[in-house]
Amino acid sequence: MMADGAPTSWVPGMADFRFKWRRFYDEARPWGENLPEISRGKHLIPVVLFVIALVATYFILYYPPRYTLALWVTLAGLVFIFKEPFWGIVIFYALAFIRPQDIFWGLKDLRLSLMVSGATLLSWLWDRLKRSDWRIVMASQNILILGLWGQMGLSHLFALAPMISEESLIDYSKIFILFFLTINIVKSFSLYRALCWVIVASLGIMALRGVYQYGISGYPFINGPGGTIEDNNHFGLALVMAVPFAYYLILVEKDWWKQLLAVIFALGMVIAIMATFSRGAFLGLILVLGGIFLRARKKLGLLLLGIIFGLGALAALPSEYYNEISSIKSYEEDVSSMYRLYAWRAGWEMIKEYPYTGIGLKHFEHITAQYMKKFLPAGEKNMAAHNSYIHLAAEAGIPALVFFLALLGFSLWGLKRIREIAPRRSPLIYFSYMIELSFWGYIASGFFLSMEDFELAYLLMAMVVALKGIVINKHVLRIGPWKGRDEGYSWT
């Protein structure tokens, strides 16, 4: 028995987990209790206001009004970020999935997400300085992310055209920074659940927007809002990964209006996936829905609901959708499918020629035709690989692919380990299933799409580490963030 009465014999290695994580949460502050004067924030507000005033004046004098409006909105967000670093995570992923800078403002060149990631990092560092506590969460994923980051840097240094890869390296860097910050900030269930709602609400709103465009405005198919998920295929994959989040929030939430909201988002996502006319997203959706069915306790009710919804979808979908999906079986006759196979072969030629550092980030789409000439006498063209794994290995080298696959493998193993640590009836197991199904949707659809740089994939990896810490806190150490508003939270 542990000191607090919790049994330890039912989980092998429980004593090691208890020692490791209690040491992380209970050690004294390494720099003592006497904080430097500057860390108390005595002069912080005047300095911040002065800097904001200078930047605002510059934008007002030299930029159009919409840039100034975007600036003030961003600065308002930065105030929340510096008050609480978690807001930086929320704003970053909302910008990544909703892309308001593309939809409403047309301000891609402002790089708002880069500003938010930098502000979040500074806010977290300031918080660490005030607490005189520089401990960080250590996990296998940290080491692998650093290895992948380093390989990306080597790919940029040895790229065929470094100027092309520079922007991509910056995008990867901000994603990896947010990965690190997520696992070090999201340490309570309330924050974890809020992050799940950010994913569901952001992509759910975009799904409903797409359904409106397709059903009311008469779009032939729907695209994403912009950024990484601008393409219809990429948007479909993002929605596939979000479906498990919406489903399990229906089971977890106790308020009826939250459950209803999750149902609306889930239905909107499924309809929007079909309206993207993406074959890869369709395969991912089948896999995710199958996994949900196998994990469900009340399989009969879920099956009846699925049949009703499926019959309604069959009646509403146009014949063009069935023609698009049925082309999976006869891919030899489909020009688009064959060119994807040609792109895979071209990627293999790139990997053989540049196995260690790759051709350079964002180079694949610029030189595909040169490699297609080796086996296509005519008709070669530049295009994406339409395969995340080939694309990554061709652009950043085989070591990058190894790091990436290891990240996926360790994340899936971590979810299995979470289910071993948590008691059999722990509701937190729902969240391990949620992330696992989202991973499988990404792995399956990612085989047909170039989504190796998708923010949500790396967020899932970070959420695995965060969930493991929360499970250990609640069921092993029974300390920390579970005191307070999360105590007594009901589960169904």
Side-chain angles (χ1 to χ4, degrees):
M1 299 288 289
M2 292 194 289
D4 55 5
T8 60
S9 58
W10 53 276
V11 175
M14 181 68 72
D16 296 336
F17 272 111
R18 180 180 174 82
F19 173 75
K20 176 182 176 181
W21 285 83
R22 185 175 291 281
R23 183 177 62 181
F24 177 83
Y25 282 100
D26 287 357
E27 279 182 347
R29 296 175 176 177
W31 303 106
E33 297 295 335
N34 297 323
L35 305 181
E37 182 67 26
I38 189 174
S39 69
R40 297 181 183 178
K42 183 178 181 181
H43 306 293
L44 176 62
I45 295 179
V47 172
V48 170
L49 291 177
F50 178 72
V51 173
I52 290 176
L54 286 179
V55 176
T57 302
Y58 175 79
F59 268 77
I60 292 173
L61 292 176
Y62 296 101
Y63 286 88
R66 73 176 190 276
Y67 280 73
T68 305
L69 175 63
L71 171 70
W72 285 111
V73 172
T74 304
L75 291 177
L78 296 182
V79 171
F80 286 101
I81 293 173
F82 275 98
K83 182 175 178 61
E84 173 55 56
F86 179 71
W87 278 107
I89 297 175
V90 171
I91 295 173
F92 178 86
Y93 288 109
L95 289 174
F97 302 145
I98 301 179
R99 301 297 298 180
Q101 62 270 42
D102 295 346
I103 297 177
F104 305 112
W105 302 333
L107 304 172
K108 289 183 179 181
D109 52 333
L110 273 185
R111 307 300 299 273
L112 297 180
S113 58
L114 182 61
M115 295 170 58
V116 170
S117 62
T120 307
L121 178 60
L122 292 176
S123 176
W124 180 79
L125 291 174
W126 179 261
D127 183 68
R128 296 296 92 193
L129 178 63
K130 289 191 296 183
R131 297 172 183 270
S132 295
D133 184 357
W134 296 98
R135 293 168 296 176
I136 62 174
V137 176
M138 296 301 298
S140 303
Q141 286 89 332
N142 296 68
I143 300 173
L144 294 171
I145 278 288
L146 289 175
L148 181 58
W149 200 352
Q151 183 64 25
M152 296 293 182
L154 289 176
S155 176
H156 170 64
L157 290 176
F158 293 96
L160 301 180
M163 291 298 295
I164 297 178
S165 65
E166 182 177 354
E167 182 177 352
S168 182
L169 180 62
I170 293 174
D171 291 337
Y172 274 113
S173 297
K174 65 185 181 184
I175 292 173
F176 295 159
I177 289 173
L178 263 294
F179 172 93
F180 171 82
L181 293 174
T182 299
I183 64 175
N184 281 279
I185 293 174
V186 182
K187 294 182 180 179
S188 69
F189 174 68
S190 59
L191 296 182
Y192 198 89
R193 186 176 50 151
L195 188 56
C196 292
W197 270 110
V198 169
I199 297 171
V200 171
S202 299
L203 291 172
I205 291 172
M206 291 297 98
L208 295 177
R209 169 179 174 264
V211 172
Y212 175 84
Q213 290 176 336
Y214 181 76
I216 305 299
S217 301
Y219 282 47
F221 60 89
I222 60 175
N223 287 314
T228 313
I229 55 176
E230 182 175 9
D231 182 77
N232 65 311
N233 297 296
H234 297 173
F235 184 47
L237 171 56
L239 297 179
V240 166
M241 296 174 66
V243 166
F245 282 81
Y247 171 76
Y248 281 103
L249 283 178
I250 297 172
L251 301 181
V252 168
E253 293 293 349
K254 63 178 181 178
D255 297 327
W256 68 267
W257 64 271
K258 292 181 181 178
Q259 293 176 330
L260 178 61
L261 192 61
V263 169
I264 294 173
F265 284 147
L267 293 177
M269 290 173 186
V270 174
I271 297 173
I273 290 169
M274 298 179 180
T276 60
F277 282 68
S278 171
R279 291 167 292 186
F282 174 78
L283 294 175
L285 178 63
I286 295 300
L287 178 62
V288 166
L289 293 181
I292 289 176
F293 177 76
L294 292 176
R295 297 290 190 187
R297 293 182 179 179
K298 299 179 180 180
K299 291 183 172 59
L300 180 59
L302 193 62
L303 180 60
L304 293 175
L305 182 63
I307 292 175
I308 295 173
F309 181 81
L311 292 176
L314 290 175
L317 289 172
S319 59
E320 291 82 3
Y321 183 79
Y322 301 105
N323 295 335
E324 183 72 15
I325 299 303
S326 62
S327 65
I328 297 176
K329 297 184 295 183
S330 56
Y331 66 91
E332 299 93 342
E333 303 174 4
D334 184 69
V335 177
S336 175
S337 299
M338 291 306 299
Y339 264 104
R340 293 190 181 198
L341 296 179
Y342 297 150
W344 293 4
R345 184 172 175 183
W348 174 244
E349 296 295 331
M350 298 176 196
I351 294 171
K352 290 194 297 183
E353 190 169 343
Y354 299 95
Y356 302 114
T357 59
I359 58 176
L361 303 177
K362 287 298 180 185
H363 281 54
F364 198 102
E365 298 179 11
H366 296 280
I367 63 173
T368 318
Q370 299 179 23
Y371 285 87
M372 283 188 181
K373 289 180 180 178
K374 297 181 178 180
F375 52 87
L376 278 181
E380 63 275 357
K381 64 177 182 178
N382 289 324
M383 58 182 297
H386 291 282
N387 184 296
S388 298
Y389 315 106
I390 294 177
H391 202 130
L392 181 61
E395 289 193 341
I398 294 176
L401 178 62
V402 172
F403 282 122
F404 185 72
L405 294 178
L407 278 166
L408 292 175
F410 271 93
S411 297
L412 292 173
W413 180 84
L415 293 171
K416 179 177 180 295
R417 186 62 174 146
I418 286 171
R419 292 193 284 270
E420 294 174 352
I421 297 172
R424 183 172 299 177
R425 292 189 175 184
S426 172
L428 288 173
I429 291 179
Y430 279 149
F431 287 86
S432 71
Y433 291 148
M434 173 185 72
I435 298 177
E436 185 177 64
L437 289 175
S438 186
F439 264 128
W440 284 119
Y442 173 78
I443 292 171
S445 297
F447 199 81
F448 304 98
L449 301 170
S450 296
M451 290 289 280
E452 70 284 347
D453 57 347
F454 186 29
E455 294 91 345
L456 183 54
Y458 296 95
L459 175 59
L460 292 181
M461 299 173 189
M463 292 180 73
V464 172
V465 182
L467 181 61
K468 185 176 180 180
I470 294 171
V471 169
I472 291 174
N473 261 348
K474 177 172 175 58
H475 294 297
V476 181
L477 303 182
R478 300 189 177 186
I479 62 174
W482 286 90
K483 298 176 181 178
R485 53 183 173 176
D486 288 332
E487 198 68 31
Y489 189 84
S490 64
W491 300 78
T492 58

